[in-house]
């Protein structure tokens, strides 16, 4: 009896340890769902890299649906992107639970995240240009994609190349902001047919993000 209780306690401790300090402020709800799914996946032969690949596939399918002109398909695409986010948490969790962590897996996960990021933002611009041909969204779309790509490079240089235990203070804040929390906003605005609000806000926000990050990095160096 004591042995059984000890095993359950060890399992609970391990599952609690799956929560990462880099989790986004809204994506912590994803972690609840992903941990529940990971508990089922560890009983299968599915590997973490397979989960990453499936997450990428679902994310790309979601982006393709989001780019369509019909509101129903676009909303289904937004939900698919949310599902991709949940699976994106499962790969690392399963890797730690099965003791299958690797540098390749971490790089593969980061690369697929960036691909889904870019696909999502491009899909939003395509959706708006198709659904509202009388309006021009070229300016904010170009500004958004530029800001996102520079932000990705800035996050890698200013944050991700450092070990996790050194990503403290503002580094941790920027890391959380750079997560996929925006998917929740995309789901809500897609449901209400207001994705243009996201396009304009993200176009400004992405560039303010990398500008403020580099300002902070420079301020740290001059101390």
């Amino acid at each position: 009896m004591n042995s059984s209780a000890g095993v359950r306690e060890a399992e609970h401790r391990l599952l609690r340890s799956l929560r990462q300090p880099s989790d986004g402020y809204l994506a912590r709800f994803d972690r609840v769902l992903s941990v529940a799914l990971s508990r089922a996946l560890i009983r299968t032969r599915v590997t973490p890299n397979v989960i990453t690949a499936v997450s990428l596939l679902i994310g790309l399918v979601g982006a393709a649906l989001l780019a369509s002109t019909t509101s129903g398909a676009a909303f289904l695409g937004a939900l698919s992107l949310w599902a991709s986010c949940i699976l994106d948490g499962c790969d690392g969790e399963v890797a730690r639970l099965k003791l299958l962590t690797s540098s390749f897996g971490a790089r593969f996960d980061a690369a697929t995240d960036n691909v889904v990021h870019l696909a999502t933002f491009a899909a939003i611009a395509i959706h708006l240009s198709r659904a509202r041909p009388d309006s021009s969204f070229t300016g904010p779309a170009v500004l958004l994609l530029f800001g996102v790509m520079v932000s990705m490079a800035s996050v890698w240089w200013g944050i991700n190349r450092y070990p996790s235990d050194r990503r403290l203070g503002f580094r941790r804040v920027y890391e959380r902001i750079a997560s996929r929390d925006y998917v929740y906003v995309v789901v809500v605005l897609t449901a209400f047919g207001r994705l243009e609000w996201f396009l304009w806000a993200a176009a400004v926000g992405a560039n303010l993000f990398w500008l403020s990050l580099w300002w902070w990095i420079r301020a740290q160096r001059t101390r």
Side-chain angles (χ1 to χ4, degrees), residues 4-190:
S4 177
V7 169
R8 287 197 300 271
E9 177 60 25
E11 182 184 27
H12 290 158
R13 287 181 180 178
L14 182 58
L15 290 171
R16 285 196 298 268
S17 72
L18 295 178
R19 298 188 179 186
Q20 298 296 300
S22 59
D23 287 345
Y25 296 101
L26 295 177
R28 293 175 186 181
F29 177 67
D30 290 352
R31 186 65 69 180
V32 175
L33 298 176
S34 66
V35 167
L37 182 56
S38 293
R39 293 182 70 173
L41 289 172
I42 59 174
R43 294 174 172 84
T44 70
R45 295 184 178 181
V46 176
T47 65
N49 289 339
V50 168
I51 298 173
T52 302
V54 173
S55 173
L56 171 63
L57 179 61
I58 293 176
L60 293 177
V61 170
L65 289 170
L66 185 61
S68 65
T69 56
T70 59
S71 58
F75 184 61
L76 180 59
L79 291 178
S80 298
L81 289 167
W82 181 42
S84 174
C85 285
I86 296 172
L87 275 177
D88 183 51
C90 290
D91 54 7
E93 292 165 2
V94 171
R96 290 190 290 278
L97 289 170
K98 287 189 172 184
L99 303 179
L100 294 175
T101 56
S102 67
S103 57
F104 170 79
R107 290 193 298 269
F108 183 39
D109 183 37
T112 56
D113 283 351
N114 289 336
V115 169
V116 174
H117 282 315
L118 289 173
T120 301
F121 297 132
I124 291 172
I126 293 171
H127 168 82
L128 290 172
S129 64
R130 287 177 173 177
R132 302 185 182 181
D134 54 326
S135 302
S136 177
F137 296 99
T138 303
V142 171
L143 188 63
L144 172 59
L145 292 176
F146 172 79
V148 168
M149 288 187 288
V150 176
S151 293
M152 288 178 179
S154 301
V155 167
W156 176 84
W157 177 259
I159 300 174
N160 289 348
R161 67 192 183 101
Y162 293 96
S164 180
D165 57 358
R166 291 184 60 189
R167 302 175 195 172
L168 304 174
F170 275 102
R171 275 199 180 94
R172 185 67 74 197
V173 172
Y174 277 103
E175 186 178 20
R176 288 173 177 171
I177 294 174
S179 70
R180 286 207 223 174
D181 275 2
Y182 68 86
V183 170
Y184 284 92
V185 181
V186 170
V187 170
V188 172
L189 293 182
T190 303

Side-chain angles (χ1 to χ4, degrees), residues 194-217:
R194 293 296 182 183
L195 274 177
E196 71 276 9
W197 293 358
F198 178 86
L199 180 65
W200 282 102
V204 174
N207 287 281
L208 287 178
F209 176 86
W210 70 262
L211 284 170
S212 64
L213 176 57
W214 279 107
W215 175 86
W216 179 81
I217 291 173

